Amino acid sequence: MSDFTLGVNIDHVATLREARGTTYPDPVGAAVLAELGGADQITIHLREDRRHIQERDLRILRQTVQTRLNLEMAATKEMAKIAYEFKPDMVSLVPEKREELTTEGGLDVAFNKDAIKEQVRFLKDGDIFVSLFIDPDIDQIRAAHKVGADSVELHTGAYCDARSGAVRAKELERLVDGAKTCYKIGLAVFAGHGLNLHNIEPVASILEFTEFNIGHSIVSQAVFVGMTEAVASMKRAIAEARTKTKQV
Ligand code: PXP
C-alpha cells in the first residue's frame, strides 16, 4: 500500500487539442491511460477562459474516471455552481489570472479569509473535499486551517524554478517547514507545480506530503514514451525517494 497519491493533471492534452480546434487528443483517453499507469487521481483545471479543459471534458471525466477526480478552479460563484453540478471528489481552489501562462502563485487566503471561508463551507456542504493551493508560507497555512480547508497544496514552483543551488535549498527548506507545520496542526498537505523527474526526489522525500499533483512534465514525457509509461516512471521515482528516506 502506497503512502502517497499521484494526481495526474491532463490539462495539456487538452491544450494540444485546443491549439488546432480538433477533437483530438482527447483528455478522456489520456485519463484512462494515466490510470493504467498508476495515477491515483485525475486532475483538471477548468479555467475561466476555457483555454484547455472544457465543460464537456469535466462531464465525461466525471463518468469515466475510475480513481478520483480533482477539479482545480477559481474561487468564484460561477465555478462553485459548476462544482455542485458535477460533484468532483475534490476541488482545489487556485488563483486565476487571464494573462498568466500557468497558475503563478498561491491563493492569498490570509487576505481573503471571509470570501474563501464562505466558498470552502459551500463546497464542503456539497460533500466535496476542499484543498487550497497556497505558497509555503506559515501565515497562509494557518489561514487555510482557520477557514476550514480539508487540505492545502503547497506551491512547489519557486523551488522548481530556482536557478541556483542556494535558492533551491532555501525554497526546499520552506517546503519542509510548511509541510511539518501542516502535519503538526493536523492539516493534510500536498505538493504541486513544476515537478518533474529531475527535481521530484527532494520533494517526494518530505514524508508529510501525501499527494503530488503533476501535469506538464508527465504530459511532455508522454509525447515520447506514452502516457502509461510516463505516469509509471513518475510513480516509481516518488516511491523510491520515499523508501530511501525511510531507510535513513
Ligand atoms: N497543482 C496546481 C494547483 C496547479 O494549478 C497545477 C497546474 O495546473 C499543478 C499542480 C500542476 O503543475 P504542473 O503542470 O507544472 O505539473
Side-chain angles (χ1 to χ4, degrees), residues 18-101:
E18 298 304 312
R20 293 295 289 270
T22 48
T23 54
Y24 60 85
D26 193 335
V28 176
V32 172
L33 295 174
E35 287 183 327
L36 280 174
D40 305 293
Q41 169 169 285
I42 300 298
T43 298
I44 51 173
H45 185 174
L46 185 66
R47 295 185 74 104
E48 189 193 12
D49 62 12
R50 305 292 192 268
R51 70 172 71 153
H52 38 52
I53 293 292
Q54 307 295 316
E55 272 188 54
R56 167 265 183 204
D57 304 324
L58 170 59
R59 180 169 20 88
I60 299 177
L61 286 165
R62 176 61 298 187
Q63 294 167 10
T64 55
V65 164
Q66 303 293 308
T67 53
R68 289 156 42 83
L69 183 64
N70 172 25
L71 176 64
E72 286 178 11
M73 56 178 235
T76 64
K77 287 213 167 79
E78 182 222 340
M79 287 310 306
K81 247 194 254 161
I82 292 177
Y84 252 63
E85 183 183 345
F86 293 100
K87 289 286 168 78
D89 300 285
M90 170 160 105
V91 157
S92 300
L93 293 178
V94 300
E96 212 175 279
K97 288 192 225 118
R98 263 179 193 265
E99 329 70 75
E100 69 189 0
L101 272 181

Side-chain angles (χ1 to χ4, degrees), residues 9 11 45 72 94 102-103 133 153 192-195 213-216:
N9 181 314
D11 289 349
H45 185 174
E72 286 178 11
V94 300
T102 178
T103 316
F133 184 53
E153 179 176 334
H193 213 283
L195 295 169
N213 282 301
I214 307 178
H216 185 263

